[in-house]
Amino acid sequence: SILAIFLEEAVEVLERCDTLLNSWRDKLSDNKLVQNLQREIHTFKGGARMAGLEDLGHLSHAMETLLENIAANRMEATVAAVQALEEGCDKLNIWVEQLGSGQEPKIGKALQRFEARVEQLQSPQSEAIAPEPEEVTEVGTDEIVAEPEDKAETADQAVDVPSQITPARVSRKRPAPTR
């Protein structure tokens, strides 16, 4: 099926994105890394849309647009931009894993949060605006514990905790996909 093909390709694309983001963080002026990352996100977006996964397509499109703006020097390449893209890739990874295990992805407000981060990057005082702090404890190389990103206002909202947890960014070597 198209979904199975997309899921296999998505894992590989997101692994390459992780590697590119780690390299770019250390070398922000390297426009070649930005272009390669842009190409990978574009590939992911096309596959998601072909598989009918519009929400994954929308988030990857917003990520691609950020990269286009940086590549065209309409926005500055900053660690904050790398962090926003890392968070976007983390969310895409979670959704791909959920789809791979037969679950419906818990989309929540991920696109709105990403767009808000990009807006902060575009504002002149963006350096003064830090992302909301996230309390993270690294338990090992494969297990990550993070506090919920959003606090529930009512008891009814607290029930859907899994969709409110955002993974922490930890650089680690993922196992190669099996074929």
Side-chain angles (χ1 to χ4, degrees):
S1 78
I2 292 176
L3 179 61
I5 294 167
F6 165 73
L7 291 174
E8 184 177 327
E9 181 180 84
V11 169
E12 295 171 7
V13 167
L14 292 171
E15 285 176 358
R16 288 190 300 267
C17 287
D18 188 51
T19 299
L20 287 166
L21 283 165
N22 285 329
S23 297
W24 185 34
R25 175 186 291 277
D26 296 332
K27 209 171 176 186
L28 288 173
S29 62
D30 190 340
N31 215 28
K32 187 84 169 153
L33 289 170
V34 175
Q35 292 166 351
N36 289 337
L37 190 54
Q38 185 181 348
R39 190 175 307 113
E40 295 294 347
I41 295 295
H42 180 79
T43 299
F44 183 95
K45 177 186 76 174
R49 288 185 171 167
M50 226 168 27
L53 303 168
E54 291 303 312
D55 289 321
L56 278 73
H58 292 318
L59 178 57
S60 52
H61 175 74
M63 294 168 67
E64 181 184 25
T65 300
L66 172 58
L67 288 162
E68 286 172 356
N69 286 331
I70 292 169
N73 294 316
R74 290 188 293 266
M75 286 182 67
E76 188 179 349
T78 62
V79 171
V82 174
Q83 289 171 334
L85 290 161
E86 287 172 336
E87 289 171 16
C89 283
D90 286 343
K91 188 55 81 175
L92 293 175
N93 263 310
I94 288 171
W95 293 342
V96 166
E97 287 174 16
Q98 289 171 339
L99 285 163
S101 64
Q103 300 173 29
E104 187 70 28
K106 294 173 178 57
I107 305 302
K109 296 184 179 187
L111 179 60
Q112 292 90 338
R113 281 193 295 270
F114 183 81
E115 289 172 339
R117 290 289 303 272
V118 171
E119 233 175 86
Q120 288 176 345
L121 294 171
Q122 293 172 329
S123 67
Q125 72 275 18
S126 66
E127 295 303 318
I129 301 174
E132 290 183 27
E134 200 171 350
E135 195 174 306
V136 177
T137 306
E138 188 173 337
V139 181
T141 56
D142 293 333
E143 185 177 344
I144 299 169
V145 178
E147 292 299 317
E149 185 175 280
D150 299 323
K151 304 292 184 242
E153 293 176 19
T154 68
D156 292 340
Q157 291 173 316
V159 175
D160 192 21
V161 172
S163 68
Q164 296 174 347
I165 296 176
T166 303
R169 190 77 191 155
V170 176
S171 178
R172 63 180 175 269
K173 190 78 173 165
R174 294 188 178 109
T178 56
R179 292 186 185 250

